[in-house]
Amino acid sequence: MKLLASLLAILLLAQPTVPQTGQIPVPTGIPVPTGQRTAEEARSRAEQNVPPPQQPKKTIDTARLQQDADELATLAASIPPAVSQTNHGVIPRDVVDRLKRIERLAKHLRGEINP
């Protein structure tokens, strides 16, 4: 029993200690994964209370927005007559292209106005 207790004491005392910083020591010669390095950098920045980098506000080109809105209105106005032609069995060739352009313009305008 004394032998078992002494072996246990030796094993407990012989274990390497982990530093109290919360970081696990990395043996030399073994590369540190990029994700771990990035996480450690982020943790150190958070500890320093460094504010995150601010994104510069985008300036809105109102002239370009107005031009796109006018084009969107013109394209949208041209769709009902094209649809009425489909009722007669005639499908204008550029209707699909105009509808795609309407979608692109609408997405662009929405993204510019509400980022």
Side-chain angles (χ1 to χ4, degrees):
M1 186 69 166
K2 288 183 180 182
L3 180 63
L4 182 62
S6 62
L7 283 175
L8 183 61
I10 292 172
L11 286 175
L12 288 175
L13 293 174
Q15 286 185 348
T17 59
V18 176
Q20 294 298 324
T21 61
Q23 296 179 353
I24 299 172
V26 178
T28 57
I30 298 175
V32 178
T34 305
Q36 184 178 358
R37 187 176 308 122
T38 306
E40 288 176 3
E41 289 172 3
R43 187 179 312 123
S44 69
R45 271 188 258 125
E47 290 172 358
Q48 296 172 359
N49 293 328
V50 176
Q54 294 182 351
Q55 299 281 335
K57 292 213 174 201
K58 247 186 357 182
T59 58
I60 297 176
D61 183 8
T62 55
R64 175 72 177 163
L65 286 179
Q66 186 62 47
Q67 182 182 1
D68 288 347
D70 292 341
E71 183 182 357
L72 181 62
T74 304
L75 286 170
S78 70
I79 296 300
V83 170
S84 67
Q85 289 179 355
T86 60
N87 292 338
H88 303 318
V90 178
I91 300 174
R93 292 184 179 187
D94 65 336
V95 171
V96 175
D97 293 333
R98 283 188 274 166
L99 290 171
K100 286 181 183 179
R101 179 69 181 151
I102 288 172
E103 281 183 89
R104 278 188 251 125
L105 280 170
K107 286 181 182 179
H108 173 71
L109 285 171
R110 184 177 60 229
E112 290 292 318
I113 292 172
N114 188 17

